[in-house]
Amino acid sequence: MTLFIDVNTLTNLISKVGLPNFMQQLLDYMQSDFKKWEQFDKSARTAAHSSEGVIELMPIADQQQYSFKYVNGHPNNPKNGYSTVMAFGAFADVASGYPLLLSELTLATAIRTAVTSVMAAKALAKPKVDVMAMIGSGAQSEFQAIAFHCLMGVNTLRIFDIDSKAMDKLELHLKQYPKLTVIRCKNAEHCCQDADIITTVTADKNFATILTADMVSPGVHINGVGGDCPGKTEISAELLTLGKIFVEHEPQTRVEGDIQQLPPEHPVNAIWQVIAGKIKGRDNLQQITIFDSVGFALEDFSTLRYLYDLATQFEIGERVELVPSLSNPKDLFGLINASGAINNASVCA
Ligand code: NAD
């Protein structure tokens, strides 16, 4: 039977281990998978674009397991009562093709994106970080804030959003973290002051410029999360040329990331190589490092692998007959025969 994790089951699982532990354990799974990068069969995601947004399919496999995620990105959705990003995914056994897990991935994507950001920041930011600026206070923002506070030691968070109600919501939720000081800023420039890390996590299906060169100081690490689709950017082209750029899967990021603004020959570095200890991250304390995150299938693979192990350990989640269990695998027809579904076969004569 296939394990099924819906939204309630996932929140139940997170409450069993606590969000910081959940994030830390997912980080461990992700780092271990990124170190094995070369063993994965990788491809850029396929995208169906419309004037309102995008729907994407993200597959990946190694020799043991296969996963895919279905995810959308529709920046105007909140006005109509839907989230900008919604997702679900599956995890399967490569040897048999049997689907082991079908899971909600909207909440899980927000967590995995924040954990991916921390994984990159641990590899690229200066050794000691205290202040993070975060532009964008939408659905992803709490997860970014909590991951950087609990896993990376960020104790001061400067926030800005063009929607003051989104900032109210973020501030309210973060009150539960008494050691995190939240500073509400009047604009993006003000937000970036004194930041060791700048996270951009806005949504606008537009060539937006949220962050420019005059807003950053030497040594800063930029965690660019929201520029993740053709025609959807956050970081100015000039600022991109001033930093050392790191990406997930280069063929995908060239099309979707902020680097879509740069010529295709502009050098970028693979984040997995830093995590695997094959190349250096930052070269010196003055360098600007940029993680041009778009979200890659391996991060969802790690998430599904972790969820499967965790739900199995806690015996949480429903077992559903997503594919038939047959005593004779060649007798698929027997399923409907037994149910009486063909009791009026005589009409075909
Ligand atoms: P959301 O719609 O819930 O929130 C986005 C916020 O950005 C809104 O509150 C909006 O007011 C704010 N905003 C828009 N333009 C702004 C500007 N110029 N200055 C300041 N704030 C501005 O979206 P979300 O779910 O939080 O997602 C945020 C972004 O992250 C989206 O673009 C999404 O596609 C992207 N994302 C990336 C990854 C990844 O792996 N890189 C994963 C998930 C989501």
Side-chain angles (χ1 to χ4, degrees):
M1 299 276 266
T2 302
L3 182 62
F4 176 55
I5 298 180
D6 67 1
V7 178
N8 283 335
T9 309
L10 179 58
T11 53
N12 190 4
L13 260 181
I14 295 169
S15 67
K16 289 269 175 213
V17 288
L19 185 55
N21 277 340
F22 187 94
M23 287 176 160
Q24 179 60 57
Q25 287 170 11
L26 178 55
L27 177 61
D28 295 342
Y29 270 63
M30 210 182 274
Q31 283 172 328
S32 141
D33 287 335
F34 268 72
K35 285 177 187 163
K36 293 190 281 183
W37 179 268
E38 286 155 304
Q39 295 173 25
F40 286 91
D41 187 0
K42 298 170 287 291
S43 56
R45 57 188 163 199
T46 59
H49 294 280
S50 67
S51 54
E52 294 301 320
V54 64
I55 297 178
E56 297 162 330
L57 207 54
M58 303 170 68
I60 193 163
D62 66 4
Q63 289 302 302
Q64 283 76 44
Q65 285 135 346
Y66 171 96
S67 77
F68 76 81
K69 177 167 87 171
Y70 164 105
V71 62
N72 77 305
H74 287 70
N76 287 324
N77 262 4
K79 287 182 205 143
N80 305 318
Y82 293 111
S83 300
T84 297
V85 177
M86 299 176 283
F88 66 89
F91 186 59
D93 173 45
V94 162
S96 63
Y98 195 86
L100 301 169
L101 171 67
L102 178 66
S103 179
E104 97 77 51
L105 284 180
T106 304
L107 182 54
T109 289
I111 297 172
R112 80 81 155 116
T113 302
V115 168
T116 306
S117 292
V118 165
M119 179 175 73
K122 277 183 182 283
L124 303 177
K126 288 178 293 188
K128 192 166 164 6
V129 293
D130 182 44
V131 182
M132 179 161 93
M134 185 164 66
I135 307 173
S137 305
Q140 311 293 317
S141 63
E142 285 85 353
F143 301 94
Q144 289 282 334
I146 294 164
F148 274 91
H149 176 49
C150 295
L151 308 186
M152 188 88 196
V154 164
N155 288 318
T156 303
L157 183 71
R158 301 175 66 85
I159 63 168
F160 173 68
D161 194 297
I162 47 174
D163 174 2
S164 64
K165 287 200 174 104
M167 284 202 279
D168 294 345
K169 173 220 61 161
L170 175 61
E171 262 190 308
L172 183 69
H173 284 147
L174 294 180
K175 283 207 162 62
Q176 295 169 68
Y177 294 82
K179 292 187 187 151
L180 181 64
T181 304
V182 178
I183 301 170
R184 211 176 152 116
C185 299
K186 55 180 188 289
N187 54 39
E189 290 79 3
H190 180 218
C191 186
C192 293
Q193 279 170 18
D194 306 321
D196 300 307
I197 295 175
I198 300 174
T199 291
T200 54
V201 63
T202 66
D204 195 359
K205 197 163 169 45
N206 209 341
F207 278 112
T209 305
I210 308 292
L211 195 63
T212 50
D214 54 312
M215 290 159 69
V216 309
S217 310
V220 77
H221 171 66
I222 298 170
N223 171 38
V225 178
D228 62 352
C229 211
K232 180 161 168 274
T233 57
E234 294 180 311
I235 304 169
S236 78
E238 185 202 2
L239 175 52
L240 288 170
T241 62
L242 299 178
K244 185 172 180 183
I245 301 171
F246 297 82
V247 298
E248 293 144 310
H249 184 51
E250 187 180 335
Q252 184 179 317
T253 311
R254 288 276 179 202
V255 177
E256 300 179 352
D258 281 287
I259 58 165
Q260 65 187 274
Q261 303 169 82
L262 300 181
E265 63 278 6
H266 189 92
V268 297
N269 305 275
I271 190 67
W272 77 264
Q273 292 200 320
V274 187
I275 291 156
K278 289 180 185 285
I279 62 167
K280 237 171 133 178
R282 107 179 357 258
D283 297 308
N284 56 64
L285 291 176
Q286 299 303 307
Q287 190 169 49
I288 295 168
T289 51
I290 303 170
F291 178 45
D292 186 4
S293 164
V294 293
F296 184 56
L298 185 53
E299 295 142 26
D300 305 305
F301 178 98
S302 304
T303 306
L304 288 160
R305 188 166 77 78
Y306 172 55
L307 288 179
Y308 185 70
D309 288 353
L310 196 64
T312 306
Q313 180 195 334
F314 284 104
E315 297 181 347
I316 287 180
E318 200 183 333
R319 297 272 166 185
V320 295
E321 199 166 355
L322 188 65
V323 294
S325 307
L326 300 168
S327 52
N328 175 3
K330 292 194 178 180
D331 187 11
L332 184 60
F333 190 76
L335 274 180
I336 50 171
N337 216 12
S339 73
I342 52 159
N343 59 6
N344 57 351
S346 60
V347 299
C348 298

